[in-house]
């Protein structure tokens, strides 16, 4: 993707948005683009990058503060952090509103593209419209799995001011119907047209390759069907899964749908992790974070070559901790110091401790520099924060937090990966779904291989890893096999928190996340008494704009709380 494409699209979109009825008026301006140059392809780039790399406000609040942390990828609550790691597990109106407003506000940009390309639209093009339907599916899958029931079937209808909220099962069915329609329309076509009718490089996901879009649609269909499978009242998932096995899925490294990030435009148009990491001072800033114990344990303990692709080793250093003079923090100080040293010891860390927390008023911990791979436990409360030195734990590699304009190697946003297609197939076979055929272990191992290739791991390291029991589901109970599949799906989705979070909710693994926390002396239980978050609460805008329909949805779905299970994750 070329940076100037982003700039051109922003200018064109801002000038032409809302023009679906009177596009011919643009041509009266001699400075505007000519009729021969006009195309709907200029309207696809913005809704594509806005879905996965929006501006700073939602990127930080929706992606980093909520999704990436609910997924168990990143942690706050170290000594530098502005917050404890209880943040977001305790309901926050402003951060929740930022997420709701992002999702609710997004649809208009995509809907404009759909209206332009639909039958009778100013840029009618059946293939572009099919692409729009697939993007719509990606969007609604994330939106409903974040909040639950949302406006879907009546959204975008100009004659309906207050659209009803649809149930999750109906949304899933609607998305699958759209995906089927899109795949049928695409058929054997390879591009959306010639000249200005060709999406080409304006398409940030598939570079205008319609057969890749078709495989993306089928893989998304399989993801949604597997998400729905087994939920109460499910009457469509098994059939959909069987259909997916009869059509092409993402299968090669080139099939990975990854969105290259723009390297020039402002974070106020499209942000990255660097927007939070660097803007507040970098490593030792309040806006920084560490990587979780759950992730690092799974990588380090199994010699996973993705470890060094994801994180830097702990910086290390020598730190003295002094017991508080009085109060509950003084009483609990020995327990908390013991907890910290137990975490370090269990991870096999190279460190020394002098002093005894049970008899002395201070202890000193020394850790060698850049040697240990240690993850920070999730959901630590604010009282233990002074003991949680960022230097004890892994932080993201520079690949994820490098500033725009300083490198051409910015990390890519995960849209849908080839590895996931293999994991989904293996899962369907292990669950015994009719029509799901093949060697589950071979598919599982190919999923691991594809994930590691995507993350840049050498072939030799991949081969070594695949020889371990952790990478084999040829034997064992069904639950054991599903745990391995779920864990690999979760690792593969690193940085795509919304998907990682959904994996934990649906499959229950990694169990260290799904089981929640209980010890109030160490952890912050938040608004949900330590249980795992199942959804986000609706934003205040949902109540003020469409409260009647929202309350009908809440009556069906359950209380508007973070621990209310959504339809797909109910047993």
């Amino acid at each position: 993707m070329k940076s100037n494409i982003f700039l051109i699209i922003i200018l064109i979109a801002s000038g032409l948005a809302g023009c679906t009825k009177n596009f011919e008026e643009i041509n009266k301006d001699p400075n505007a683009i000519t009729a021969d140059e006009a195309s709907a392809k200029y309207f696809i780039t913005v809704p594509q990058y806005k879905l996965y790399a929006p501006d700073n406000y939602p990127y930080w609040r929706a992606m980093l503060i909520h999704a990436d942390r609910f997924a168990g990828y990143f942690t706050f609550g170290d000594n530098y952090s502005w917050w404890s790691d209880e943040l977001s597990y305790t309901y926050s109106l402003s951060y929740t509103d930022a997420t709701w407003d992002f999702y609710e506000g997004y649809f208009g940009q995509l809907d404009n593209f759909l209206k332009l390309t639909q039958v009778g639209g100013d840029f009618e093009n059946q293939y572009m419209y099919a692409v729009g339907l697939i993007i719509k599916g990606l969007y609604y899958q994330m939106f409903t799995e974040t909040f639950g029931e949302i406006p879907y079937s009546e959204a975008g209808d100009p004659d309906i001011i207050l659209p009803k909220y649809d149930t999750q099962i109906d949304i899933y069915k609607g998305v699958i119907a759209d995906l089927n329609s899109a795949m049928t329309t695409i058929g054997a076509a390879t591009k959306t047209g010639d000249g200005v009718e060709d999406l080409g490089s304006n398409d940030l996901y598939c570079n205008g390759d319609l057969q890749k879009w078709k495989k993306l649609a089928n893989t998304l269909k399989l993801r949604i069907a597997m998400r729905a499978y087994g939920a109460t009242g499910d009457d469509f998932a098994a059939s959909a899964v069987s259909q997916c096995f009869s059509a092409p899925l993402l299968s090669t490294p080139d099939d990975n749908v990854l969105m290259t990030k723009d390297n020039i435009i402002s974070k106020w148009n499209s942000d990255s992790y660097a927007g939070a990491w660097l803007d507040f001072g970098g490593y030792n800033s309040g806006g920084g974070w560490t990587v979780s114990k759950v992730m690092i344990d799974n990588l380090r303990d199994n010699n996973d070559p993705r470890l060094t692709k994801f994180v830097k080793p702990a910086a290390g250093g020598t730190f003295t901790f002094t017991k508080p003079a009085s109060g509950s923090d003084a009483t609990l100080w020995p327990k908390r110091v013991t907890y910290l040293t137990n975490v370090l010891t269990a991870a096999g860390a190279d460190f020394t401790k002098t002093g005894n927390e049970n008899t002395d008023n201070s202890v000193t911990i020394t850790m060698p520099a850049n040697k240990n791979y240690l993850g920070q436990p999730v959901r630590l409360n604010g009282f233990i924060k002074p003991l949680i030195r960022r230097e004890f734990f892994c932080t993201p590699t520079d690949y994820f937090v490098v500033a725009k304009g300083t490198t051409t190697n910015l990390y890519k946003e995960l849209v849908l990966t080839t590895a996931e297609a293999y994991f989904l197939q293996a899962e369907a076979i292990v669950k015994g779904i009719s029509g799901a055929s093949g060697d589950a272990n071979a598919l599982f191992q190919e999923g691991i291989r594809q994930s590691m290739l995507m993350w840049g791991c050498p072939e030799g390291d991949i081969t070594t890893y695949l020889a371990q029991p952790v990478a084999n589901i040829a034997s064992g109970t069904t639950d054991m096999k599903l745990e391995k599949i779920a864990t690999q799906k979760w690792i593969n989705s690193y940085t795509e928190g919304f998907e990682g979070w959904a994996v934990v909710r649906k499959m229950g693994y990694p169990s260290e996340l799904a089981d929640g926390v209980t010890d109030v002396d160490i952890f912050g239980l938040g608004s949900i008494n330590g249980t795992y978050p199942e959804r986000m609460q609706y934003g205040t805008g949902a109540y003020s704009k469409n409260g009647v329909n929202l309350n009908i949805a809440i009556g069906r779905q359950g209380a508007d709380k973070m621990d209310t299970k959504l339809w797909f994750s109910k047993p």
Side-chain angles (χ1 to χ4, degrees):
M1 179 190 66
K2 298 179 180 178
S3 299
N4 64 337
I5 290 177
F6 261 126
L7 296 172
I8 292 170
I9 298 310
I10 291 168
L11 292 173
I12 292 176
S14 63
L16 305 188
C19 69
T20 58
K21 293 184 178 178
N22 297 296
F23 178 79
E24 65 275 6
E25 293 298 319
I26 296 170
N27 296 306
K28 295 178 180 180
D29 180 355
N31 296 316
I33 57 175
T34 67
D36 289 342
E37 296 170 326
S39 169
K41 74 177 185 178
Y42 297 117
F43 292 85
I44 193 171
T45 308
V46 171
Q48 284 187 325
Y49 80 75
K50 285 292 188 182
L51 186 55
Y52 289 93
D55 62 82
N56 175 265
Y57 200 74
Y59 202 95
W60 192 15
R61 290 156 179 80
M63 278 70 169
L64 177 58
I65 288 178
H66 283 104
D68 289 334
R69 292 180 52 254
F70 287 170
Y73 295 149
F74 300 142
T75 46
F76 296 156
D78 61 69
N79 65 297
Y80 294 113
S81 182
W82 289 322
W83 313 283
S84 77
D85 206 41
E86 192 174 9
L87 179 74
S88 75
Y89 295 93
T90 298
Y91 169 73
S92 165
L93 182 148
S94 61
Y95 292 149
T96 298
D97 278 359
T99 308
W100 172 263
D101 292 345
F102 159 62
Y103 272 120
E104 183 191 40
Y106 168 83
F107 181 66
Q109 300 168 86
L110 177 59
D111 190 47
N112 191 51
F113 178 77
L114 289 168
K115 285 182 168 62
L116 286 168
T117 57
Q118 69 185 2
V119 174
D122 287 317
F123 298 121
E124 180 180 340
N125 183 308
Q126 63 174 336
Y127 298 120
M128 289 189 187
Y129 185 76
V131 166
L133 288 179
I134 300 169
I135 299 173
K136 180 182 175 184
L138 290 165
Y139 159 64
Y140 270 108
Q141 180 240 320
M142 286 193 288
F143 194 4
T144 186
E145 289 175 5
T146 301
F147 295 98
E149 296 193 15
I150 51 174
Y152 172 72
S153 60
E154 296 179 349
D157 187 330
D159 296 324
I160 299 177
I161 298 174
L162 301 175
K164 69 177 182 178
Y165 280 61
D166 294 272
T167 63
Q168 192 163 73
I169 186 173
D170 285 342
I171 294 169
Y172 281 163
K173 287 180 176 181
V175 169
I176 286 178
D178 279 347
L179 295 175
N180 287 338
S181 175
M183 288 187 283
T184 298
T185 296
I186 290 171
T190 58
K191 60 181 181 178
T192 55
D194 296 319
V196 296
E197 291 299 308
D198 182 7
L199 284 178
S201 60
N202 292 74
D203 172 10
L204 306 182
Y205 296 175
C206 300
N207 201 37
D209 182 347
L210 285 184
Q211 290 307 300
K212 186 172 180 178
W213 273 107
K214 193 173 180 180
K215 286 187 275 188
L216 165 58
N218 196 41
T219 305
L220 177 60
K221 177 180 173 180
L222 182 57
R223 173 197 275 180
I224 292 171
M226 290 305 298
R227 197 85 88 222
Y229 183 75
T232 303
D234 162 38
D235 58 358
F236 70 95
S239 175
V241 169
S242 180
Q243 294 165 15
C244 291
F245 271 74
S246 300
L249 295 156
L250 302 174
S251 61
T252 70
D254 288 342
D255 285 342
N256 281 308
V257 185
L258 309 174
M259 193 188 82
T260 300
K261 299 177 75 65
D262 185 86
N263 207 14
I264 294 178
I265 63 173
S266 163
K267 70 176 185 178
W268 302 113
N269 277 318
S270 179
D271 204 8
S272 67
Y273 287 128
W277 183 271
L278 296 177
D279 287 4
F280 298 107
Y283 179 90
N284 60 352
S285 74
W289 60 90
T290 60
V291 180
S292 78
K293 175 182 179 295
V294 190
M295 176 60 76
I296 300 303
D297 286 355
N298 273 287
L299 299 176
R300 181 199 62 238
D301 293 351
N302 295 299
N303 297 309
D304 192 316
R306 288 169 291 194
L307 176 65
T308 56
K309 303 298 181 181
F310 288 3
V311 299
K312 293 179 177 180
T318 297
F319 304 96
T320 297
F321 303 99
T322 302
K323 183 178 181 178
S326 61
S328 60
D329 286 340
T331 302
L332 292 171
W333 189 76
K335 177 179 178 178
R336 290 170 178 158
V337 173
T338 299
Y339 172 80
L340 171 61
T341 55
N342 285 346
V343 167
L344 302 181
T345 300
D350 180 359
F351 77 102
T352 60
K353 185 185 77 171
T354 58
N356 185 318
E357 61 267 29
N358 294 305
T359 58
D360 300 331
N361 288 326
S362 67
V363 297
T364 298
I365 295 177
T366 298
M367 182 181 290
N370 303 315
K371 181 178 181 180
N372 291 299
Y373 283 93
L374 306 168
Q376 181 182 314
V378 300
R379 304 179 70 169
L380 296 176
N381 66 32
F383 303 108
I384 198 173
K385 199 165 173 278
L387 297 172
I388 308 302
R389 296 291 312 191
R390 187 170 293 174
E391 293 87 351
F392 291 162
F393 302 105
C394 292
T395 51
T397 61
D398 290 343
Y399 176 63
F400 297 105
V401 294
V402 67
K404 285 186 176 184
T406 61
T407 179
T408 58
N409 190 32
L410 288 172
Y411 73 95
K412 294 178 173 62
E413 298 287 350
L414 309 184
V415 178
L416 200 55
T417 68
T418 293
E420 184 178 343
Y422 284 105
F423 294 140
L424 289 167
Q425 291 173 79
E427 179 188 350
I429 294 167
V430 168
K431 289 183 174 179
I433 300 175
S434 178
S437 60
D439 184 332
N441 187 56
L443 290 163
F444 174 61
Q445 292 197 321
E446 185 60 21
I448 295 172
R449 180 175 174 273
Q450 291 291 335
S451 177
M452 291 183 174
L453 287 173
M454 182 185 73
W455 287 110
C457 302
E459 285 277 10
D461 292 345
I462 298 173
T463 300
T464 299
Y465 183 88
L466 289 175
Q468 300 181 97
V470 70
N472 191 295
I473 59 169
S475 61
T477 66
T478 297
D479 284 345
M480 291 168 61
K481 294 175 182 180
L482 291 175
E483 179 176 4
K484 289 180 179 180
I485 294 169
T487 302
Q488 289 295 335
K489 284 173 67 177
W490 175 77
I491 293 171
N492 178 66
S493 296
Y494 180 68
T495 69
E496 181 41 54
F498 286 107
E499 182 58 24
W501 178 28
V503 169
V504 180
R505 286 179 286 166
K506 178 64 179 182
M507 302 189 73
Y509 300 107
S511 57
E512 187 174 341
L513 296 171
D515 290 347
V517 296
T518 57
D519 189 343
V520 296
D521 297 337
I522 304 295
F523 302 103
L525 305 191
S527 303
I528 49 179
N529 198 33
T531 60
Y532 190 67
E534 297 290 340
R535 61 182 293 273
M536 289 183 64
Q537 293 181 213
Y538 292 111
T540 55
Y543 285 92
S544 62
K545 296 177 183 177
N546 195 4
V548 172
N549 285 322
L550 172 60
N551 283 314
I552 293 171
I554 291 171
R556 286 191 300 259
Q557 180 169 275
D560 185 16
K561 301 294 182 183
M562 289 190 290
D563 57 353
T564 295
K565 280 184 174 288
L566 299 182
W567 176 79
F568 81 85
S569 64
K570 291 179 180 178

